[in-house]
Structures are given as structure tokens and as C-alpha cells.
Amino acid sequence: MTNVVVVGSQWGDEGKGKIVDWLSERADIVVRFQGGHNAGHTLVIDGVSYKLSLLPSGVVRPGKLAVIGNGVVIDPHALIAEIDKLGKQGVTITPENLRVADNATLILSLHRELDGIREDAASNSGTKIGTTRRGIGPAYEDKVGRRAIRVMDLADLETLPAKVDRLLTHHNALRRGLGEPEISHDAIMLELSSVADKVLPFMDTVWVLLDKARRKGARILFEGAQGTLLDIDHGTYPFVTSSNTVAGQAAAGSGMGPGSLGYILGITKAYTTRVGEGPFPTELHDEIGQFLGERGHEFGTVTGRKRRCGWFDAALVRQSVAANGITGIALTKLDVLDGLDELKICVGYTLDGQQIDHLPASQAQQASAKPVYITLEGWKESTVGARSWADLPAQAIKYVRQVEELIGAPVALLSTSPERDDTILVTDPFED
């Protein structure tokens, strides 16, 4: 397979950053295809940590082209700040190694404000979704509503004022209804003009760039942000993100055809975590859940929010395998399970006295579903830094094999620490 799509198979935070960085060494181009700066990747290279939230992971690798596709919503201030931050860490980002889709939607200050207003109101009514308040959802709403300001609009000052007026017709009516002050046309124009010169040098017709690269045989790596279970259609709605996170979005969010995608690699944590609100059947509120959180350093890359932790949910990952057409998985953080006497894996649920093999789409049924577990023996030996099957305890191998069987997909890579070289390669996704 020439190209590889990397997707999270759980609720995000599966360790995609390390895997994408590991794969980027084999790729020519790394493409971000959905989401915004509401999710992050942490890369650890030679002991140095790089925290990315909007930029594709390939930017930290010399000689790689990083691309932000049209499926991403871009906060220009966040983009500029992230470029500057990485520059201070010695990573030079220029229009030579970063291209941004001209038809990508911009996140503006009014989107961030609206996100916060809604979340505060929801907190008071007990219906909070748990957004990052970064304007992602409202920006996608404007995109679908055909009133968004896009990257290319920064270069067209003649038509931009009319587009801003159209955007404000909607937002000011909404703000009046919420009892909030209106936003002036001049304020938005000033906001856009202040970032135009810094963003426009990176602008490109990305679908053309990628099509030419594909025809020349370039290896393209596609990376998403949040996991499959946060997909707007296939996730635990309404506690989801505002975009499609599944592998099929790699095509729509970059301008390439589905036949160009190739190998679908699902990043899968050896246990389960979730940030924010929403159902979580295998969540642990005991000392084991605390152990997993502390050992796994389970805090959000972007927000620092503490992640909820629980046992591995094979039923949910099996759904993700089907929704994405996953070819193989990268199993991460196996080492976090070291030292536990026993391990549990969820294989299905009980609902209204019946056993089912998948989590229903209904919010009420998701909240009522109870996990059905199998129990495996744990291991006392350390798996930290293992780089071959021979380095793993027998019970750890048994756990991995059980995961493969239950989710219906093989392990292609096995990660045993945040360091990129602490990886057991079973199948190279880039090999034909």
C-alpha cells in the first residue's frame, strides 16, 4: 500500500502522535484531514516533547511536507502561535514544509465566544457536552450553513466585507437571542486583516498538490484528530466532536479519492480512556482506574483535563474496525498494565436483560448498557521499552492475542513506551 490513514479507534488519546511520527519517517507527505486545535498529539523525540494541536505531526521531521486539508477548521491565531512555539524548540516551519488548504474554514473569535456561551448555559442546565471551548463546533456549523470565512477569503479583500456581513447577520441574531452584545463588522475585518499576511504564504490548492504527488508515487500519511467514538455520525452522540473522524473522511477532508487511501491503521490503547462528558461503560472509579490514570499520565495534551480510565472495551473497538475498514491496529501503552494481578476485557453489554454485542446509538440505551467481561491473568514483569515479541511476558502476549481475536483485526505495531523506537513492528503499513 502506498498511502496510510491513521485513525483513533476509541475516544481519542490513544497515542496517535507517536505512531504518526514513527510512520512519518517512511512517508513523504503528512496530511491532517479533520478537526481543529481541540485535540493534540504529543511526540517524544530524543527525549524532547513536542505538543501539537493543529499542525500535522510531520512538521517536526526534516524533509517532510506537512499539509492541513480542507476538512480541518483553522484558528489562524492558534496556527501562528503553534508555529512560533515550535520555532522556539528549534523546529523551523516555512511555506516550504507546510501547506494549508485554500478552502479550509477559519475559526474566528465569535466562534470561540459562542462555544463558551453555550457550554456555560449547558452547565447550568445539566446538559454539558464537554467541549474545549475553542470554537470548533460553531465553525463547522457556519461551514455547513455556507456562510464560513475560508482561508482563500483572506486574499480577496473586495468580496470579504460582504461575506463578513453575511456571517454577522446570522451570529448577531443568535447573540441577541442569547442576550449577548452584537459584534461589529469592523472588529471582524480587523481580526482577519491582522492574520492575513502570516497565513496566506502557506495557502495552496491542496487537492491539486496531493494529486500530483500521488501520481508521482509519493507516500502519503493521513492523520486525524479525535477517535472514532467521537465521530459526529458514528460516535456516542451528542457527546461527540463536530466532524467525521473515521477513515473515509481522509478522502473528503483532503480532496483525494477513496481509492487513494490504502492501509487503514487504527490506533488502539491497551485500556480505555475518555475526556469530557458522555457514556463510558468500562469506566473504573476505584484504585485500578486511578492506577491507570497515574501510570499512563492520562491528561489531555491540549487542555490538561484529567482523562477517565477503564478496562479495554473490545466491543467498541470492534465497531470502530467495521466503521473504518481497519486493516490493522497499533496497540499502545501495553506497559501501563504491568503489575496488575488480573485484567478484564469487555466483550459486550447487557441491556434490559438481554446481552448485545455492540453499543446502541440511543443515548438512553448507551447510559443503561452494562459491560460483560472476560478476565485474564496479568503479568508482573516489565514490558517498558520492549522491541520484540521475545521481550514480552507470556501473559502479555496472550492479552494481545485475545485483543486481536475479539476486535477482528491484527496488531501491526505494538508500542511499549512514549519513545518512538520502543515499538514492535509486525507489519509495515507502507509496504506494498
Side-chain angles (χ1 to χ4, degrees):
M1 302 290 185
T2 303
N3 303 323
V4 176
V5 182
V6 174
V7 293
S9 67
Q10 295 156 306
W11 278 293
D13 309 310
E14 300 98 346
K16 291 188 293 296
K18 168 190 169 173
I19 301 302
V20 170
D21 175 61
W22 191 90
L23 289 168
S24 69
E25 198 167 54
R26 294 160 171 76
D28 302 303
I29 303 173
V30 182
V31 182
R32 172 77 180 274
F33 62 83
Q34 58 80 216
H37 63 303
N38 56 336
H41 300 319
T42 300
L43 312 181
V44 181
I45 302 172
D46 297 329
V48 179
S49 292
Y50 302 92
K51 294 184 181 296
L52 308 179
S53 58
L54 183 58
L55 293 170
S57 300
V59 296
V60 301
R61 290 285 166 192
K64 309 298 179 182
L65 177 63
V67 174
I68 298 178
N70 58 275
V72 178
V73 286
I74 301 170
D75 183 324
H77 297 286
L79 175 63
I80 294 165
E82 193 168 333
I83 290 173
D84 291 344
K85 178 182 176 182
L86 287 178
K88 293 176 182 177
Q89 290 187 277
V91 179
T92 302
I93 300 173
T94 70
E96 298 299 316
N97 63 356
L98 173 66
R99 307 307 288 162
V100 177
D102 56 2
N103 55 341
T105 292
L106 294 178
I107 299 173
L108 307 180
S109 57
L110 56 80
H111 296 125
R112 295 191 298 272
E113 292 174 15
L114 179 58
D115 208 357
I117 292 168
R118 285 174 170 171
E119 195 69 358
D120 287 340
S123 296
N124 295 332
S125 64
T127 58
K128 186 172 71 169
I129 298 296
T131 77
T132 57
R133 299 169 178 259
R134 294 171 188 264
I136 312 297
Y140 273 117
E141 290 176 38
D142 283 340
K143 176 180 179 176
V144 175
R146 294 167 289 187
R147 55 181 172 265
I149 305 298
R150 303 192 291 177
V151 173
M152 66 178 71
D153 295 324
L154 297 175
D156 189 356
L157 297 180
E158 289 188 8
T159 63
L160 183 56
K163 292 178 180 179
V164 169
D165 282 340
R166 185 168 187 270
L167 179 68
L168 290 179
T169 297
H170 171 81
H171 276 270
N172 281 335
L174 183 59
R175 292 174 70 92
R176 287 193 299 271
L178 293 170
E180 298 291 331
E182 294 187 12
I183 300 170
S184 74
H185 171 97
D186 290 347
I188 298 301
M189 287 298 298
L190 179 61
E191 178 181 349
L192 293 169
S193 63
S194 70
V195 298
D197 289 344
K198 295 181 179 180
V199 173
L200 286 175
F202 297 99
M203 185 178 74
D204 208 334
T205 307
V206 159
W207 72 267
V208 173
L209 181 157
L210 294 176
D211 184 59
K212 289 180 178 178
R214 178 187 64 83
R215 292 176 185 276
K216 292 179 180 179
R219 289 184 166 186
I220 304 173
L221 179 64
F222 299 88
E223 65 165 328
Q226 300 85 1
T228 297
L229 300 177
L230 292 176
D231 185 278
I232 189 69
D233 290 306
H234 304 288
T236 48
Y237 190 92
F239 303 99
V240 292
T241 194
S242 300
S243 61
N244 288 112
T245 63
V246 292
Q249 179 62 21
S254 66
M256 297 189 71
S260 302
L261 298 185
Y263 194 103
I264 311 299
L265 181 68
I267 314 301
T268 308
K269 192 178 290 185
Y271 50 101
T272 308
T273 61
R274 176 167 199 167
V275 171
E277 308 298 320
F280 186 170
T282 66
E283 184 174 8
L284 296 170
H285 300 281
D286 56 13
E287 65 278 3
I288 295 178
Q290 183 176 352
F291 170 87
L292 294 174
E294 293 175 355
R295 173 77 71 82
H297 305 290
E298 297 297 349
F299 297 91
T301 298
V302 172
T303 64
R305 291 185 295 176
K306 185 178 180 180
R307 296 172 185 147
R308 301 152 63 190
C309 299
W311 294 119
F312 184 79
D313 193 328
L316 280 179
V317 176
R318 189 165 59 242
Q319 290 179 222
S320 295
V321 168
N324 290 285
I326 287 174
T327 314
I329 67 166
L331 190 64
T332 65
K333 291 198 169 185
L334 182 69
D335 53 296
V336 174
L337 301 179
D338 293 352
L340 292 173
D341 293 326
E342 64 178 27
L343 304 168
K344 293 184 178 182
I345 298 177
C346 173
V347 296
Y349 315 95
T350 56
L351 180 66
D352 298 328
Q354 301 293 319
Q355 185 164 334
I356 56 177
D357 62 0
H358 67 280
L359 193 64
S362 161
Q363 181 181 350
Q365 290 182 330
Q366 289 173 356
S368 300
K370 304 300 180 185
V372 175
Y373 290 115
I374 61 171
T375 302
L376 284 75
E377 182 182 347
W379 57 87
K380 297 301 182 181
E381 304 95 324
S382 174
T383 63
V384 176
R387 298 185 181 181
S388 72
W389 288 108
D391 296 333
L392 295 176
Q395 287 304 127
I397 295 175
K398 184 176 180 180
Y399 182 83
V400 173
R401 296 305 185 202
Q402 185 70 78
V403 165
E404 290 179 314
E405 180 180 342
L406 290 171
I407 67 174
V411 169
L413 298 95
L414 184 63
S415 172
T416 56
S417 94
E419 291 291 340
R420 68 189 303 275
D421 291 330
D422 292 340
T423 304
I424 299 173
L425 176 63
V426 181
T427 301
D428 187 342
F430 273 120
E431 287 187 356
D432 293 331

